[in-house]
Amino acid sequence: MKLSRPQRKMIFCTLMVIVTCVLWALGGKPWQWWALGAIFASWLADGLLAKYPPVLGKIPHSFFIGAVWFAIAHVCYSAASVMVLRSQGMPFHWRNFALLVLLFFATVFLHKLIFSRKSQRSKGFAIAATAYLAVVGIMASLSFLAAAGTAWRAWCLPIGACLFFISDCVLVVREYMRLKSKPINRLIMGTYLSGQLLLQIGLWMC
């Protein structure tokens, strides 16, 4: 029996959750629960965005509810990065953090400027998408600081954050334009899964 794309996606995501739980069981860290919270929130978001099981297709605005759960996942990743910084006794330099955030915010602004003009969605969608990508940008910025605080031992942490950021940017573009393209879907899935795994491995290495 051939599995549908949503079914394959949920199988991959479920396997990723299992691998993550095993990874943390082998070597727990103080930020373990934040990392696990991020992966479980992402799993719930995946189910809502994929509308799988089929009953989820009957939930109104399942896409936006899924986006909220992904935002919660990014908040969990941000909290984990802050705990890494504190554990290393690294002072929190607001200037360095602000520069990183500005870099990601510039990307979000260009993203909105280029794609929202041709959007087939409402203005409300553009505002929600911009706010969401801003949250992802803050998470990615904190991951860079956390990796720097470990002398880049956890080098895969910021790489994973950037892949997650790219995945969400492409996802938002797809929703802006209402595109149906297998290459785009594969790009989103590939960057998303690799980003999640690298984030978890990076936090485990901190």
Side-chain angles (χ1 to χ4, degrees):
M1 184 179 69
K2 187 176 180 180
L3 298 174
S4 65
R5 185 176 63 85
Q7 288 175 325
R8 292 197 302 272
K9 178 181 180 181
M10 289 310 299
I11 289 173
F12 284 138
C13 295
T14 302
L15 287 174
M16 184 169 61
V17 170
I18 294 171
V19 170
T20 302
C21 289
V22 172
L23 184 71
W24 283 109
L26 294 174
K29 301 290 177 67
W31 43 88
Q32 170 183 353
W33 299 112
W34 286 112
L36 288 174
I39 203 72
F40 276 110
S42 298
W43 183 80
L44 287 172
D46 285 322
L48 286 162
L49 266 62
K51 296 184 178 179
Y52 183 81
V55 68
L56 294 179
K58 299 177 182 179
I59 297 178
H61 309 298
S62 60
F63 178 85
F64 293 100
I65 299 173
V68 169
W69 277 106
F70 265 131
I72 292 172
H74 292 305
V75 170
C76 289
Y77 276 130
S78 297
S81 293
V82 170
M83 287 190 70
V84 170
L85 284 168
R86 288 182 175 178
S87 71
Q88 299 295 324
M90 295 291 293
F92 189 84
H93 296 295
W94 281 104
R95 184 178 64 182
N96 295 341
F97 178 61
L99 289 174
L100 284 167
V101 171
L102 283 174
L103 177 62
F104 281 98
F105 268 50
T107 306
V108 171
F109 176 75
L110 289 173
H111 189 277
K112 181 180 183 300
L113 191 66
I114 294 171
F115 296 105
S116 64
R117 289 180 176 179
K118 299 179 181 180
S119 176
Q120 298 181 26
R121 296 276 191 171
S122 65
K123 289 184 178 180
F125 179 86
I127 294 171
T130 302
Y132 173 76
L133 290 178
V135 172
V136 186
I138 292 172
M139 179 276 294
S141 300
L142 284 166
S143 73
F144 272 92
L145 290 181
T150 62
W152 299 102
R153 183 174 68 251
W155 55 269
C156 53
L157 182 61
I159 295 176
C162 285
L163 286 172
F164 209 146
F165 185 73
I166 291 170
S167 176
D168 283 335
C169 283
V170 177
L171 174 63
V172 170
V173 170
R174 187 191 71 182
E175 294 302 316
Y176 268 145
M177 313 302 291
R178 295 184 183 272
L179 297 173
K180 292 183 178 180
S181 169
K182 287 184 178 180
I184 289 178
N185 290 336
R186 288 169 183 165
L187 175 62
I188 293 170
M189 181 57 62
T191 51
Y192 166 69
L193 289 175
S194 56
Q196 283 274 27
L197 285 174
L198 286 173
L199 277 166
Q200 292 289 334
I201 293 171
L203 287 171
W204 191 80
M205 292 170 64
C206 286

